[in-house]
Amino acid sequence: MLDVRRLVLLRELSIRGTVSAVARAMNLAPSSVSEQLSLLERETKTKLLRRVGRNVQLTEAAMALVERVEPILGALEEAETALISAGSAGGAISGRVRLAVFQSAALVLIPPALSLLRERHPALRLEMVQYEPERALHETWARDFDVVVAEQYPGHSAPHWPGLDRRQLVRDELQLAVPAGLTIDGQPLPAGEELATLLQHRPLPWIMEPRGTATRHWAEQLIRSAGHEPDVRFVSADLQSHVKLVESGNAVALLPGLTLVDHPQRLRRISLPGRPLRTVFTSIRSSSAQSPAVVAVRAALEEAARPLDAGSGTDRGPGG
């Protein structure tokens, strides 16, 4: 019988690449990780690792073994969920849920969701980390998180990982944000032609997220499809800094509606052609779908998101 804990370490090594990274993730000493992997080689009577410089790589036999670890871990998680569900039937929901969420969702959705959870499930412990969505999806698949709140922009589907489901949480409209009272040559922007006028005259520089993000690519393509190249002078992954530069009259930006919820008067929000929507969704491992704690967290997020959904009149199926 193979030791499941050692199989987990082998899987972690396939994900994280180095023994030291596995040790940090598992809160172990590197020497302990190496020793356990050596014991696994003796258990299997198979060479699982080969040394490459100062690091090690998994052999083909090791990779074949890793492929079979995932369903084992899924079955164990389902068994643990069934045990917890049976123990908490009719009682209080408790336990720990690890949540990964990106900034604008953290600012707008998490406070009301936490209030709901505190009121309904005071014994439940929710731990939240702000994470870039694509990385958070991978880390949820890798079992570092239990729930992730992620996003995708029009024409840019977020990565799909095996064993992760996906459920739409909210859709918010992507809008042009300009300083309140912005004029061109002393005249207000013409209604319905604001973006075209702004691109033609370019009175203010743009602030955008870093290159390589879906957000940045979507924004650049929108502007380029209109026949212009954006004058991007400011770059930040912090959307609150985008808002501040727009409010202060130093930039214009393309921003999702959740970012602008608390800024109704200090900047002007302009709808874009076709009124494009960003999809925000939750994702969990299918093997934890029946966990009372995970179900409670997801339900609280959905209740907090409901009043903000720009697509509330449409189907709430999985994000595309």
Side-chain angles (χ1 to χ4, degrees):
M1 181 72 69
L2 298 179
D3 190 303
V4 173
R5 293 169 297 180
R6 292 169 189 156
L7 292 173
V8 169
L9 290 176
L10 186 68
R11 176 184 180 272
E12 289 291 321
L13 183 58
S14 74
I15 293 170
R16 305 186 191 280
T18 66
V19 169
S20 59
V22 173
R24 287 193 298 271
M26 304 296 290
N27 198 27
L28 296 170
S31 58
S32 178
V33 174
S34 297
E35 179 183 359
Q36 293 300 312
L37 292 174
S38 295
L39 289 171
L40 183 60
E41 283 191 315
R42 289 201 287 274
E43 282 180 347
T44 59
K45 299 181 175 61
T46 304
K47 185 173 180 57
L48 300 175
L49 305 175
R50 57 172 174 267
R51 184 160 293 281
V52 179
R54 295 184 177 181
N55 297 319
V56 293
Q57 287 184 350
L58 274 66
T59 64
E60 290 186 12
M63 293 305 298
L65 186 56
V66 166
E67 288 181 6
R68 288 158 177 79
V69 173
E70 190 62 37
I72 294 173
L73 295 181
L76 287 172
E77 187 167 32
E78 289 175 355
E80 182 179 4
T81 295
L83 186 63
I84 293 172
S85 298
S88 63
I93 293 177
S94 61
R96 180 181 71 146
V97 175
R98 301 161 299 173
L99 171 68
V101 61
F102 61 94
Q103 185 192 51
S104 57
L107 292 172
V108 178
L109 298 177
I110 298 304
L114 284 173
S115 297
L116 289 170
L117 290 170
R118 185 173 64 251
E119 176 185 346
R120 298 172 183 174
H121 312 293
L124 191 155
R125 176 185 175 91
L126 179 65
E127 299 177 357
M128 186 201 81
V129 177
Q130 184 176 311
Y131 248 67
E132 186 276 325
E134 292 194 5
R135 183 181 173 196
L137 285 164
H138 173 267
E139 296 301 307
T140 302
W141 169 79
R143 299 177 186 276
D144 284 353
F145 297 108
D146 302 303
V147 182
V148 58
V149 178
E151 63 177 351
Q152 59 188 25
Y153 278 69
H156 294 80
S157 181
H160 287 265
W161 288 93
L164 291 189
D165 77 355
R166 188 175 293 200
R167 198 155 81 193
Q168 184 179 298
L169 185 62
V170 62
R171 282 188 287 182
D172 58 340
E173 185 177 349
L174 295 160
Q175 297 175 312
L176 173 64
V178 303
L182 176 66
T183 61
I184 302 293
D185 297 329
Q187 299 296 318
L189 293 173
E193 300 180 10
E194 295 94 344
L195 179 61
T197 302
L198 192 68
L199 293 175
Q200 182 178 355
H201 291 273
R202 290 183 291 180
L204 287 174
W206 290 85
I207 179 169
M208 291 188 179
E209 292 199 50
R211 290 188 183 277
T213 61
T215 312
R216 174 69 175 266
H217 186 259
W218 171 81
E220 287 180 332
Q221 290 303 305
L222 179 71
I223 296 170
R224 287 170 181 166
S225 65
H228 298 272
E229 185 65 24
D231 178 13
V232 182
R233 298 188 203 174
F234 311 113
V235 177
S236 174
D238 181 357
L239 293 187
Q240 293 305 301
S241 68
H242 294 215
V243 172
K244 292 299 183 183
L245 284 185
V246 175
E247 288 180 334
S248 62
N250 290 296
V252 294
L254 293 167
L255 292 171
L258 291 185
T259 306
L260 302 171
V261 166
D262 296 325
H263 303 270
Q265 304 298 329
R266 298 188 291 276
L267 52 74
R268 182 181 173 194
R269 301 164 57 166
I270 300 170
S271 293
L272 297 168
R275 302 180 77 98
L277 300 175
R278 175 185 68 165
T279 301
V280 180
F281 61 93
T282 57
S283 191
I284 65 173
R285 291 181 299 280
S286 299
S287 55
S288 68
Q290 301 305 314
S291 163
V294 169
V295 169
V297 169
R298 211 176 205 183
L301 287 167
E302 290 175 350
E303 187 168 340
R306 200 168 294 124
L308 303 171
D309 191 4
S312 58
T314 57
D315 175 44
R316 291 184 58 82

